[in-house]
Amino acid sequence: QVQLVESGGGLVQTGESLRLSCAASGTALSNIHVGWFRQAPGAGRKFISAISGSGISTHYGDSMKGRSTISRDTQKNEVYLHMTQLNPSDTAVYYCAAHSASDYYLGSLPSNYDSWGQGTQVTVSS
């Protein structure tokens, strides 16, 4: 069973950058596609980015396009989300999620994913 643990959230000021980490256990990253989502209070989970099990394919949603980069370290079995030019509208709980790399698609909907981390809070002050 895949377990995911996010870290790296916190309080930052407008314009700053932040890197979130998603540590996976129970399987190698080559066996899962991993995505990042965020959820602001009162809103649904929005897709940010995903990386394929092969590491070759990445996909970015509109919510942070141009301000986020997804990467991974297969030695550490971790996936990262580097975010830049943060502003108060980026305040949310950030989640990583996974689905099987045997799926031909790289998911961008929450329903595509069957394993989720507990989330990490990111708060951007003005």
Side-chain angles (χ1 to χ4, degrees):
Q1 184 174 355
V2 179
Q3 292 186 327
L4 305 169
V5 179
E6 303 94 336
S7 62
L11 175 64
V12 297
Q13 294 185 339
T14 295
E16 292 186 339
S17 300
L18 200 61
R19 190 184 80 161
L20 305 181
S21 300
C22 173
S25 60
T27 191
L29 289 181
S30 59
N31 296 324
I32 51 175
H33 300 316
V34 177
W36 284 97
F37 292 79
R38 67 182 184 181
Q39 186 168 20
R45 292 188 183 182
K46 290 188 177 180
F47 174 71
I48 301 172
S49 183
I51 187 166
S52 65
S54 67
I56 295 174
S57 299
T58 58
H59 178 49
Y60 292 88
D62 292 335
S63 60
M64 295 194 77
K65 205 165 194 176
R67 298 189 296 121
S68 63
T69 304
I70 193 169
S71 63
R72 69 180 196 173
D73 184 331
T74 55
Q75 295 296 315
K76 294 183 178 180
N77 223 42
E78 293 183 348
V79 177
Y80 308 105
L81 181 69
H82 184 232
M83 306 180 291
T84 62
Q85 300 172 50
L86 290 166
N87 60 73
S89 67
D90 295 316
T91 295
V93 178
Y94 287 70
Y95 298 91
C96 64
H99 67 96
S100 175
S102 63
D103 295 333
Y104 68 91
Y105 59 88
L106 187 54
S108 60
L109 298 173
S111 60
N112 295 145
Y113 292 82
D114 38 44
S115 297
W116 291 83
Q118 83 289 349
T120 186
Q121 176 71 46
V122 173
T123 302
V124 185
S125 64
S126 57

